[in-house]
Amino acid sequence: MAESFDPPDIWAPFGAFSMAVIQGPGQIVWLKGQVALDKAGKLVGPGDMRAQLRQVLENLKAVLANLGGEMADMISLTHYTTDLDRFMAAGDIRRGYFSPPYPVTTTVQVARLYDPALLIEIAGWPRFPRRASAGRPPSHITTDAVVARR
């Protein structure tokens, strides 16, 4: 059974989606694509790829932290950008959030995202190593935060 999780440290879902879905004993996690919204759901960095990329990566970092993980747990990323050249020019920002071994990545230029002001969306898949929890989801995730999918 998969469980969904919406951490309190980032913007709240405004549609029929979850921020993360945990499969099995919490080892593989599917993260919703993050965009440059702050905790209040307001756009960060209109027209500024670098500012938006930082916010997206901070959002991913916050979701991982709420699940007991970190950016080093990320094994795969998919980048959706409206401007491939500006995104590639911001590689120094991505390197600031990851260290070798880097996650595998796929980068796709799209005509637009759900809001035309958004320049980047990144979806990720972390794998949490087995920890003292013996393969159970992180113990700090309460039943109020995790909703069973049926």
Side-chain angles (χ1 to χ4, degrees), residues 5-7 10-14 16-21 29-37 52-53 55-61 63 74 76-81 113-114 118 120-126:
F5 178 66
D6 296 317
I10 65 167
W11 55 283
F14 52 81
F17 58 84
S18 300
M19 291 297 173
V21 174
V29 179
W30 281 258
L31 302 180
K32 184 233 177 281
Q34 287 297 316
V35 294
L37 299 181
Q52 287 196 24
L53 181 56
Q55 184 64 49
V56 167
L57 292 169
E58 285 297 322
N59 287 349
L60 286 170
K61 187 176 175 181
V63 173
M74 198 69 76
S76 181
L77 297 168
T78 300
H79 310 109
Y80 303 94
T81 181
L113 296 168
Y114 80 90
L118 293 168
I120 181 73
E121 180 170 343
I122 301 176
W125 296 267

Side-chain angles (χ1 to χ4, degrees), residues 7 10 52 54 64 75-76 104 113 119 123 126 128-129 146:
I10 65 167
Q52 287 196 24
R54 276 189 205 94
L64 287 169
I75 58 173
S76 181
V104 298
L113 296 168
L119 304 174
F128 295 145
V146 177

Side-chain angles (χ1 to χ4, degrees), residues 14 20 27-28 33 38 41 46 53 68 74 108 117 120-121 123 130 149:
F14 52 81
Q27 298 303 296
I28 302 288
D38 65 14
L53 181 56
M74 198 69 76
V108 180
I120 181 73
E121 180 170 343
R130 291 193 184 273
R149 296 269 181 167

Side-chain angles (χ1 to χ4, degrees), residues 75-137:
I75 58 173
S76 181
L77 297 168
T78 300
H79 310 109
Y80 303 94
T81 181
T82 60
D83 188 326
L84 190 57
D85 292 333
R86 287 184 4 186
F87 174 74
M88 296 304 289
D92 60 307
I93 294 171
R94 292 189 317 270
R95 282 188 296 279
Y97 284 83
F98 299 100
S99 58
Y102 297 112
V104 298
T105 63
T106 299
T107 304
V108 180
Q109 183 167 309
V110 296
R112 66 167 275 194
L113 296 168
Y114 80 90
D115 179 329
L118 293 168
L119 304 174
I120 181 73
E121 180 170 343
I122 301 176
W125 296 267
R127 181 180 185 283
F128 295 145
R130 291 193 184 273
R131 294 189 172 104
S133 63
R136 293 185 304 275

